[in-house]
Amino acid sequence: MSAVIFLGLRLALVICLYAFLSLAFFALWQSIRQQGKVLAARKVPPLHLVVQTPGQSPLSLHFTQDEFTIGRDKTCDVSIADEMVSAQHARLSFHHGQWWLQDLNSTNGTFLNAEKVIAPTVITSGDEIRCGSSLIALQVAESNLERVQPRPKI
C-alpha cells in the first residue's frame, strides 16, 4: 500500500514541476514579447542639416533614415562640392538612442564645434560640423520614441 502512495506522490511532484516550468517559460515568453514591442516602436528622430559652403547658397536637408554619409562623392547622402572635403568624409548614424558623428579617415579631418573628431562622438541640436571649408548646422528633432504600456497582469 505504501508503494502506491509513493507512486502517487511522485506523480504529483512531477505534475507540479512541469506546471512550474510551464509558468516560468510563459512568463519569459511574455517578457520577450513585450521587449520586442518596445524595440519595434522606436523611431529615429529626424535630423535637419543646413550646409553652408563658401561661394554657394545654403542647402537645407532633412533626414529620417538612421545613417547617412557626408562627402564630395556624388553617392554620398550629403554631397558637398568642396575640394577640401574627402570623397567619403564623415558618417552620421543613430544608435543607442543618440545621433553619432564619425570621421571616415578624411584627409583634412572632421570638426565638431571646432574640436577634431577622433572617435565616434554624440551630437546634439545646435552642434556645428566642419568638413573642409564647409559648415553644417545640425538640428535634432525631439525624441519620438513611442512608449508601449505594459499590459496589466491577470
Side-chain angles (χ1 to χ4, degrees):
M1 188 68 163
S2 65
V4 174
I5 295 173
F6 282 125
L7 180 62
L9 288 174
R10 282 184 185 171
L11 287 174
L13 183 62
V14 167
I15 290 170
C16 287
L17 179 63
Y18 278 113
F20 173 76
L21 288 175
S22 297
L23 284 173
F25 281 122
F26 180 72
L28 206 87
W29 177 72
Q30 289 284 31
S31 175
I32 290 171
R33 200 170 114 209
Q34 182 66 29
Q35 188 66 19
K37 286 180 182 178
V38 169
L39 290 175
R42 287 192 176 174
K43 293 189 170 111
V44 177
L47 188 63
H48 183 74
L49 306 177
V50 176
V51 182
Q52 296 177 332
T53 304
Q56 297 179 11
S57 60
L59 177 64
S60 181
L61 302 167
H62 190 75
F63 290 96
T64 56
Q65 70 234 37
D66 62 349
E67 182 176 299
F68 56 94
T69 55
I70 300 169
R72 193 178 65 242
D73 194 359
K74 296 290 182 199
T75 61
C76 290
D77 299 300
V78 180
S79 182
I80 301 174
D82 182 352
E83 290 300 317
M84 300 209 35
V85 175
S86 297
Q88 299 283 322
H89 198 95
R91 176 184 302 126
L92 286 165
S93 57
F94 184 80
H95 55 88
H96 297 98
Q98 297 175 322
W99 279 102
W100 295 75
L101 171 65
Q102 177 183 7
D103 181 61
L104 299 177
N105 297 324
S106 60
T107 305
N108 296 317
T110 302
F111 294 83
L112 178 64
N113 300 328
E115 292 186 29
K116 188 169 185 169
V117 174
I118 298 168
T121 307
V122 174
I123 59 172
T124 59
S125 281
D127 282 348
E128 193 171 76
I129 300 171
R130 184 169 58 83
C131 298
S133 57
S134 300
L135 291 176
I136 303 170
L138 300 167
Q139 189 66 36
V140 180
E142 291 296 317
S143 177
N144 61 352
L145 296 180
E146 294 179 11
R147 301 214 186 275
V148 176
Q149 297 297 325
R151 291 184 3 195
K153 296 188 180 185
I154 299 173

